């Protein structure tokens, strides 16, 4: 864990998003993706209670190696939560004390309170025991809320540089819109399948390492709710990937890694059904693999399923932010009603 300093906040914030003001007078938030500032009394933070908080909110991101926590935590006392500290992008404000009287433990959120597009989560309880129970029961909700906000911020950044001709082609031929940064190239555009790819290099531990990010989007007719069951989604994923990645010269192809249990999140239901799946992929017949994130949405008006499957190949690299980028892209997919 890193101690919070104003200098660190300013450096991180300026590198991440600049120091402009919006029309309402709010300045930009400070900090990097995945940073969370915990505002709490020092004696609580440095004791067993603080250790419990750190364990909850640095829980591992599913299906990535090397392992990374959900967040990088910073710390501030309530007295020091002022000036630039108040502009931190994600804030978890923990308030424990008798002054809360008989108030039930609560969690509330505030958007753009001290900085533009900032999120502040307030957790209030009368005792440490009440607070631990509250956060133990709700920490996943907080993680999802903050990560959803980070995903939307990432979408804004990615939308600045796009190839308009690619976007127009996707809209015309595929019947949906999406963010496609200009750094991504189209590998396959055939029928109901679109495959875009980005190859880049990152410097880590004084070594230059190459990374590959792939997004495969397929659409198919929606016939029954059973098609949205996890088992059937994974079967469809394997069918699509085998069809486009099979190499008959060495009998290799990409598929879902069955030895790893997927982490599933149902985002919405009914006619607006959306599901997120985090898992691993592997290359059959080769020693390759990595994390995968899928985003499945029911396009009810057009009676079809839009199935986006994104994966990272980056041996030895930290992948949390690579997966976040892919998540931002595939969750930008918006169907166009072609039945009108």
């Amino acid at each position: 864990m890193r101690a919070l300093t104003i200098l660190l906040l300013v450096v991180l914030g300026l590198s991440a998003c600049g120091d402009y003001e919006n029309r309402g007078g709010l300045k930009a938030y400070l900090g990097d993706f995945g940073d969370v500032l915990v505002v709490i009394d020092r004696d609580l933070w440095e004791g067993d209670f603080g250790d419990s908080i750190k364990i909850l909110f640095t829980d591992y991101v599913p299906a990535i190696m090397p392992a990374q926590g959900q967040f990088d935590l910073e710390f501030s006392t309530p007295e020091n939560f002022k000036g630039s500290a108040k502009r931190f992008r994600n804030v978890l404000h923990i308030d424990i004390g008798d002054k809360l009287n008989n108030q039930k433990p609560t969690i509330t959120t505030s958007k753009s309170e001290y900085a533009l597009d900032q999120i502040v989560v307030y957790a209030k309880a009368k005792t440490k025991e009440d607070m631990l129970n509250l956060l133990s029961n709700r920490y996943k909700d907080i993680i999802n809320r903050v990560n959803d906000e980070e995903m939307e911020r990432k979408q804004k950044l990615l939308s600045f540089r796009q190839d308009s001709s690619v976007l127009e082609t996707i809209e015309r031929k595929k019947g949906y819109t999406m963010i496609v940064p200009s750094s991504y190239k189209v590998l396959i555009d055939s029928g109901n399948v679109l495959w875009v790819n980005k190859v880049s290099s990152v410097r880590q531990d004084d070594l230059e390492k190459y990374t590959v990010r792939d997004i495969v989007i397929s659409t198919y007719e929606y016939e029954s709710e059973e098609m949205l069951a996890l088992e059937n989604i994974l079967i469809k994923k394997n069918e699509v990937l085998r069809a486009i990645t099979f190499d008959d010269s060495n009998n290799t192809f990409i598929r879902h890694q069955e030895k790893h249990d997927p982490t599933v999140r149902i985002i919405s239901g009914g006619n607006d059904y959306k599901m997120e799946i985090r898992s691993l992929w592997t290359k059959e017949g080769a020693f390759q693999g990595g994390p995968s994130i899928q985003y499945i949405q029911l396009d009810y008006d057009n009676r079809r399923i839009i199935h986006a499957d994104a994966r990272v190949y980056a041996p030895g690299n930290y992948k949390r932010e690579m997966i976040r980028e892919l998540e931002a892209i595939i969750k930008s997919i918006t169907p166009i009603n072609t039945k009108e």
Side-chain angles (χ1 to χ4, degrees):
M1 304 301 166
R2 295 166 289 174
L4 174 66
T5 66
I6 298 302
L7 177 60
L8 177 62
L9 283 169
V10 172
V11 171
L12 289 176
L14 292 179
S15 65
C17 56
D19 196 26
Y20 64 92
E21 291 190 13
N22 74 331
R23 293 178 182 175
L26 288 175
K27 291 186 177 181
Y29 54 74
L30 302 177
D32 278 342
F33 282 99
D35 285 350
V36 173
L37 175 64
V38 182
V39 181
I40 187 175
D41 291 336
R42 182 177 295 277
D43 59 336
L44 293 174
W45 180 251
E46 294 179 348
D48 292 341
F49 180 87
D51 291 341
S52 298
I53 299 302
K54 296 164 192 173
I55 290 172
L56 289 176
F57 292 99
T58 57
D59 190 20
Y60 292 136
V61 178
I64 64 169
M65 291 294 290
Q68 278 184 277
Q70 293 280 355
F71 303 126
D72 299 316
L73 301 183
E74 307 282 358
F75 159 70
S76 173
T77 63
E79 296 77 19
N80 289 331
F81 186 58
K82 56 188 176 182
S84 295
K86 280 193 169 184
R87 291 170 53 199
F88 213 83
R89 64 193 299 135
N90 306 306
V91 178
L92 173 59
H93 201 295
I94 297 176
D95 190 3
I96 302 173
D98 292 336
K99 61 181 179 293
L100 298 174
N101 298 321
N102 295 323
Q103 177 181 320
K104 292 182 179 180
T106 60
I107 290 178
T108 58
T109 60
S110 175
K111 181 79 177 284
S112 297
E113 183 168 352
Y114 305 111
L116 184 63
D117 289 337
Q118 174 197 51
I119 182 170
V120 182
V121 179
Y122 292 97
K124 297 182 179 182
K126 187 174 182 179
T127 67
K128 289 193 294 183
E129 182 180 2
D130 287 343
M131 181 61 75
L132 273 181
N133 287 335
L134 176 66
L135 293 177
S136 296
N137 290 327
R138 297 286 303 280
Y139 78 97
K140 289 186 178 180
D141 294 334
I142 296 173
I143 287 174
N144 287 337
R145 180 68 179 86
V146 173
N147 277 333
D148 286 346
E149 191 67 33
E150 291 283 47
M151 185 267 297
E152 292 179 8
R153 293 168 182 151
K154 178 66 75 172
Q155 287 178 334
K156 290 181 180 180
L157 291 176
L158 294 174
S159 65
F160 289 145
R161 293 184 178 180
Q162 301 187 78
D163 186 332
S164 59
S165 63
V166 172
L167 301 181
E168 291 169 2
T169 299
I170 291 173
E171 181 175 346
R172 184 181 69 256
K173 296 177 64 176
K174 305 302 181 185
Y176 51 78
T177 62
M178 63 181 292
I179 295 171
V180 184
S182 56
S183 55
Y184 283 76
K185 307 304 177 186
V186 177
L187 295 186
I188 291 180
D189 176 9
S190 176
N192 66 338
V193 175
L194 175 70
W195 181 0
V196 296
N197 162 280
K198 173 183 175 180
V199 179
S200 59
S201 62
V202 296
R203 192 159 189 83
Q204 183 174 311
D205 300 328
D206 294 325
L207 295 174
E208 199 76 14
K209 299 182 179 181
Y210 287 90
T211 68
V212 181
R213 282 163 248 201
D214 289 292
I215 299 174
V216 175
I217 305 167
S218 59
T219 59
Y220 41 93
E221 185 178 358
Y222 173 66
E223 298 174 347
S224 68
E225 290 185 8
E226 292 182 358
M227 298 179 70
L228 296 170
L230 176 62
E231 179 182 3
N232 293 326
I233 290 294
L234 295 179
I235 289 173
K236 197 67 178 180
K237 166 179 175 160
N238 285 341
E239 289 177 356
V240 172
L241 289 180
R242 184 183 178 97
I244 64 175
T245 66
F246 183 75
D247 185 346
D248 56 8
S249 66
N250 54 18
N251 291 322
T252 61
F253 58 91
I254 293 173
R255 63 171 176 81
H256 168 67
Q257 171 57 272
E258 297 173 350
K259 295 180 180 179
H260 181 272
D261 291 333
T263 299
V264 178
R265 178 187 174 196
I266 306 300
I267 299 172
S268 59
N271 293 345
D272 188 41
Y273 186 88
K274 294 182 177 69
M275 174 170 61
E276 171 194 295
I277 304 171
R278 294 176 185 261
S279 59
L280 295 175
W281 64 271
T282 186
K283 189 170 185 179
E284 187 74 17
F287 295 101
Q288 292 184 14
S292 164
I293 179 169
Q294 298 175 73
Y295 181 56
I296 296 90
Q297 58 177 310
L298 173 60
D299 179 7
Y300 187 79
D301 289 339
N302 295 307
R303 299 298 188 272
R304 64 177 179 171
I305 294 171
I306 302 177
H307 186 164
D309 177 24
R311 64 182 183 274
V312 169
Y313 180 65
N317 287 303
Y318 293 115
K319 304 175 183 68
R320 184 184 69 187
E321 297 310 316
M322 298 182 198
I323 286 291
R324 195 190 307 280
E325 177 178 301
L326 293 175
E327 177 188 7
I329 293 173
I330 63 178
K331 288 186 177 178
S332 74
I333 298 172
T334 304
I336 301 170
N337 190 349
T338 60
K339 299 294 186 181
E340 294 180 348

